[in-house]
Amino acid sequence: LSLANADNHSWKMLPAPCELDTLLLETYEKYEPLARKKQLTLKIQLPDEPLDPCPCDSSRISQVLSILVDNAISYTPENGTILLSLSQKETTFLLSVADNGPGIPDSSKDSVFQRFYRADSSRNDKQHFGLGLSIAREILQLHHGTIRITDTPGGGATFLISLPGTW
């Protein structure tokens, strides 16, 4: 339904000044118990100095972060680490979710944002339908932002989100 609303341009957004560090902390607190239960370490890295507020729909950006952290928890092996981080470069906010899981092959890095795409079709995980990353990309496009994937040093995937500080 979310993607259908995005296709019809009927997705409601309520942009307002948002403290992204608070949003990232809320995401951390929401997922830390699940990560611990799955024997994963969830870490957060925030800037020392306060950041400017980001004009965004905080509930939509929270949804993006939830999609990324949920995926990281699902695909990172036991005793793995997931790092949430935030920074600001001039008028651009950068958020990342990095894990040391199996990573995503270069040949699949663009495809994972397509609807129903799953990089490893042999997985029998019925909790993931291949829609989350597509929804995340749509939300970020509505915010005039971007999402991309890089390799985590040492192995794994890092999802990089860029949000403009002004619209």
Side-chain angles (χ1 to χ4, degrees), residues 92-117:
T92 302
F93 296 94
L94 305 168
L95 297 107
S96 72
V97 177
D99 66 55
N100 63 349
I104 298 171
D106 288 342
S107 60
S108 297
K109 282 188 171 84
D110 290 329
S111 301
V112 298
F113 295 105
Q114 295 173 8
R115 295 175 193 187
F116 304 110
Y117 183 85

Side-chain angles (χ1 to χ4, degrees), residues 42-71:
L42 184 60
K43 296 180 179 182
I44 188 166
Q45 185 175 43
L46 298 172
D48 293 331
E49 299 297 319
L51 300 181
D52 298 329
C54 177
C56 67
D57 183 327
S58 62
S59 65
R60 295 288 185 193
I61 299 304
S62 178
Q63 184 180 2
V64 169
L65 291 169
S66 290
I67 289 166
L68 297 178
V69 174
D70 184 64
N71 282 350

Side-chain angles (χ1 to χ4, degrees), residues 72-128:
I73 288 173
S74 295
Y75 294 114
T76 302
E78 193 173 287
N79 299 315
T81 301
I82 300 163
L83 174 65
L84 311 177
S85 64
L86 170 66
S87 62
Q88 183 177 1
K89 286 190 178 181
E90 298 175 13
T91 61
T92 302
F93 296 94
L94 305 168
L95 297 107
S96 72
V97 177
D99 66 55
N100 63 349
I104 298 171
D106 288 342
S107 60
S108 297
K109 282 188 171 84
D110 290 329
S111 301
V112 298
F113 295 105
Q114 295 173 8
R115 295 175 193 187
F116 304 110
Y117 183 85
R118 296 177 67 194
D120 185 354
S121 60
S122 67
R123 293 185 189 265
N124 292 323
D125 183 358
K126 301 299 183 196
Q127 294 177 339
H128 294 271

